[in-house]
Amino acid sequence: MKTLQQLLDNKKHKTVISIAPHRPVFDALVVLAEYKIGALVVLDGDKLVGVFSERDYAREIILKGKSSKTTPISEVMSSNVLTVKPNDTVEQAMNIMSDKHIRHLPVLEGNKVIGMLSIGDLVKETIEYQQTLIKQLESYITG
């Protein structure tokens, strides 16, 4: 199975899309819509301080009647962020996401965020891997 670095190398968007914690939630929503993604890493300078997702917006802004134009991201982001390393495998990341019921994982090299992977990225890779294995087994069986 591939490493997370290999997955990041094959992604269309190579740059990490992030936002600062002091920015209003509305700004994050604009970025999410512009890039058609479901979550952003929240960086204070180069330091990972959280993840903001559509789920955070729904639960912390809409359901609580807060304003997305005046509420800073730091008030509603997930700050207890699980991360993975570039040399971790797709399987390891899938296990973390499944066990912890999360949809996005920042990839850190040392203390630097080098990418963000979604459950969709991992599922796509897993399906491709399984299809390759099936073809190899069929080829072996048929000789």
Side-chain angles (χ1 to χ4, degrees), residues 71-129:
T71 305
I73 292 166
S74 60
E75 280 188 27
V76 296
M77 69 184 185
S78 300
S79 56
N80 188 14
V81 181
L82 296 172
T83 63
V84 287
K85 298 179 208 122
N87 59 340
D88 289 341
T89 65
V90 169
E91 185 178 12
Q92 289 170 313
M94 286 275 287
N95 286 334
I96 291 168
M97 287 183 168
S98 179
D99 290 345
K100 301 299 181 183
H101 305 285
I102 57 175
R103 297 179 183 180
H104 300 89
L105 272 174
V107 182
L108 269 64
E109 191 163 51
N111 290 328
K112 182 177 174 24
V113 179
I114 62 165
M116 172 86 103
L117 293 170
S118 71
I119 190 72
D121 296 327
L122 301 178
V123 167
K124 180 181 174 196
E125 174 55 36
T126 301
I127 290 169
E128 288 174 9
Y129 177 73

